[in-house]
């Protein structure tokens, strides 16, 4: 009752339309009463009959029915007008800066009916994918690696004893309902040489929320409301984990930033042989497991193979739940090789690295790019010893996955997937799978559609 009375405060311009709506109901009821000849309004009916006798010379109930019909129509018109005015006023009060609200509401309803997609990964690759997916469905769950130990995230992790917030922040911003000043604030990075130098404001905000609420999930829910995101973001684990790699020269290297940098220090021919985590079997976040069980589609990547995609799958409960899920699993292979992690790798080599760590039967499809980046873009990557990932269909299929090839670069011809092109491709794959297209024929169907 208290909340209802707040709508009756002066200045809202709502009471007049509520009153008009009530009058419309009364007129409608009275009109219906005259039509059905009920005796509820006996006195008024007698007056109407007397008026009918004076007009027609007889006590005509037909005349009353006509009057009743007119009153019903009048009452309905008043009610519709009042409702329209009420809705318009509510929109003006709640969303004064938004235009074409009806279109936005319809868009939200359409997005809410979209497939349930669980996107697993980390880094810029995952946030890029999410920017495209949020225009296709609002039923998105991003499961994010929290093993980052470099930069602002690494410092906060060490100083405050929390999980790395950087990739979580990027995914929250990527799923924000629209571009806002809050997004710019979240990505703002302090300069100078003081203690705040290099820190992202979004990282500090998440760190404060984690400490305030005592729970990563509660902190992310609060941040999600601030940014009004489509979907949800959660870590694979709420434990502070570190990555450990056994290199081809026999060395054991610990820490994400150290692992990526090691081949550059010791020699580019050195490869990552095996990855693990410390602790060895971190516990999964319960909501992440629930999202995987309910998923219609699960994606892995794009992003750094060993330090963004694989760490999530090294959480035993995450991997087991993916195996038990009936949803198709698509690995999105990177466009370019990554120095320090996948130098010289083909698409098949990427998949083999996953299979070596998590076993076969997990990845159903591999989505690989066939487009060629612009020549000036390739030259920049060549200076960093990064090259386009070549496709080897036979190796992919020998590892138990179906290969899907598509030009994913978009008009900009950058050396990364175009966010909208990639999202559209994934939705096409999902729709074809829903239509019961055989997996082995899926690539051919998609090529025809292109």
């Amino acid at each position: 009752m208290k909340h209802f009375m707040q709508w009756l405060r002066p200045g809202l311009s709502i009471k007049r339309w509520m009153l008009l709506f009530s009058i419309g109901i009364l007129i409608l009821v009275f009109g219906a009463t005259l039509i059905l000849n009920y005796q509820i309004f006996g006195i008024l009916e007698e007056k109407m009959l007397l008026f009918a006798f004076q007009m027609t010379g007889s006590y005509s109930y037909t005349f009353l029915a006509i009057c009743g019909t007119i009153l019903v129509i009048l009452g309905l018109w008043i009610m519709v007008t009042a409702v329209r005015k009420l809705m318009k006023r509510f929109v003006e009060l709640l969303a004064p800066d938004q235009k074409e609200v009806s279109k936005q509401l319809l868009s939200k309803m359409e997005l809410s009916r979209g497939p349930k997609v669980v996107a697993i990964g980390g880094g810029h690759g995952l946030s890029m994918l999410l920017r495209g997916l949020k225009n296709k469905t609002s039923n998105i769950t991003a499961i994010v690696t929290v093993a980052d130990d470099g930069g602002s995230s690494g410092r906060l992790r060490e100083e405050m004893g929390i999980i790395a917030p950087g990739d979580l922040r990027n995914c929250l911003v990527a799923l924000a309902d629209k571009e806002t000043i809050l997004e710019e604030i979240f990505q703002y990075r302090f300069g100078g040489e003081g203690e705040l130098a290099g820190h992202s404001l979004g990282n500090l905000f998440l760190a404060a929320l984690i400490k305030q609420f005592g729970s990563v999930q509660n902190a992310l829910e609060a941040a999600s409301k601030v940014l009004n995101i489509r979907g949800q973001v959660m870590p694979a684990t709420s434990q502070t984990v570190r990555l450990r790699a056994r290199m081809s020269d026999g060395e054991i290297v610990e820490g994400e930033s150290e692992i990526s940098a090691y081949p550059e220090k010791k020699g580019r021919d050195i490869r990552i042989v095996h990855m693990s985590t410390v602790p060895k079997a971190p516990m999964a976040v319960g909501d992440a497991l629930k999202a995987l069980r309910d998923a219609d589609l699960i994606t892995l990547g794009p992003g750094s193979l060993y330090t963004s995609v694989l760490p999530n799958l090294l959480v035993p409960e995450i991997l087991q739940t993916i195996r038990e899920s009936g949803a198709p699993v698509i690995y999105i292979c990177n466009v370019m090789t990554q120095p320090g992690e996948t130098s010289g790798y083909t698409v098949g080599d990427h998949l083999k690295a996953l299979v070596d760590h998590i076993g076969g039967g997990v990845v159903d499809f591999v989505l690989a790019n066939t487009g060629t980046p612009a020549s000036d873009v390739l030259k920049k990557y060549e200076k960093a010893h990064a090259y386009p990932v070549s496709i080897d269909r036979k190796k992919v299929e020998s590892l138990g996955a179906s290969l899907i090839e598509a030009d994913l670069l978009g008009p900009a011809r950058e050396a990364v997937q175009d966010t909208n092109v990639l999202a559209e491709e994934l939705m096409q794959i999902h729709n074809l799978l829903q239509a019961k297209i055989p997996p082995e024929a899926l690539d051919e169907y998609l090529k025809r559609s292109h």
Side-chain angles (χ1 to χ4, degrees), residues 136-424:
K136 303 295 182 181
T137 176
S138 58
N139 299 314
I140 306 170
T141 299
I143 298 179
V144 188
T145 179
V146 288
D148 186 9
D149 62 355
S152 172
S153 286
R155 288 165 58 191
L156 289 172
R157 168 189 166 123
E158 295 300 322
E159 293 171 9
M160 302 183 68
I162 61 174
I163 62 174
D167 287 349
L168 295 169
R169 178 201 80 232
N170 286 331
C171 290
L172 285 169
V173 171
L175 286 175
D177 188 50
K178 61 174 184 150
E179 297 296 324
T180 66
I181 193 169
L182 278 174
E183 292 179 51
E184 297 178 14
I185 292 173
F186 256 59
Q187 299 291 48
Y188 176 78
R189 198 170 293 275
F190 292 95
E193 298 180 355
E195 293 184 0
L196 288 178
H199 274 305
S200 160
L201 182 59
N203 285 353
L204 295 173
F205 181 73
L206 282 178
L209 288 178
I210 292 171
K211 287 296 184 182
Q212 175 68 28
F213 290 105
S215 161
V216 177
Q217 275 304 97
N218 290 341
L220 288 171
E221 287 175 10
S224 298
K225 291 177 181 177
V226 170
L227 287 170
N228 190 27
I229 73 168
R230 298 178 187 174
Q232 55 184 346
V233 176
M234 60 191 64
T237 177
S238 57
Q239 293 180 254
T240 52
V241 297
R242 289 178 66 81
L243 295 181
R244 177 181 287 172
R246 177 161 51 87
M247 313 302 289
S248 57
D249 63 355
E251 287 292 319
I252 303 296
V253 182
E254 196 167 298
E256 179 187 324
S257 55
E258 290 296 320
I259 292 169
S260 298
Y262 187 81
E264 293 295 316
K265 294 178 182 177
K266 299 294 183 177
R268 294 195 184 94
D269 58 335
I270 293 175
R271 302 289 185 90
I272 298 171
V273 175
H274 190 265
M275 293 286 295
S276 58
T277 61
V278 181
K280 190 174 182 180
M283 293 181 61
V285 171
D287 286 347
L289 301 180
K290 183 181 184 303
L292 287 168
R293 294 189 192 102
D294 297 338
D296 297 318
L297 182 69
I298 299 172
T299 66
L300 307 176
S304 301
L305 174 63
Y306 288 103
T307 55
S308 289
V309 178
L310 195 53
N312 297 287
L313 305 177
L314 295 178
V315 179
E317 292 171 300
I318 293 286
L319 179 58
Q320 184 60 32
T321 306
I322 292 174
R323 286 187 176 278
E324 294 171 354
S325 171
V329 179
I330 302 177
Y331 170 58
I332 306 166
C333 191
N334 291 341
V335 174
M336 307 292 287
T337 60
Q338 183 177 355
E341 290 200 28
T342 58
S343 294
Y345 274 36
T346 63
V347 173
D349 292 333
H350 282 77
L351 179 59
K352 187 176 186 304
L354 286 174
V355 172
D356 288 344
H357 283 83
I358 65 176
V362 177
V363 177
D364 300 303
F365 302 94
V366 176
L367 179 57
N369 170 65
T370 58
T372 302
S375 57
D376 58 327
V377 174
L378 286 175
K379 288 178 182 178
K380 292 178 182 177
Y381 274 81
E382 285 174 7
K383 291 178 181 179
H385 307 285
Y387 304 92
V389 177
S390 60
I391 298 173
D392 46 356
R393 176 177 290 273
K394 288 184 178 180
K395 186 169 185 177
V396 171
E397 293 177 345
S398 71
L399 292 166
S402 299
L403 179 65
I404 300 172
E405 301 178 51
D407 185 341
L408 302 173
L409 301 188
R413 312 313 293 173
E414 295 290 342
V416 294
Q417 292 95 338
D418 180 276
T419 179
N420 294 315
V421 172
L422 179 57
E424 180 63 32

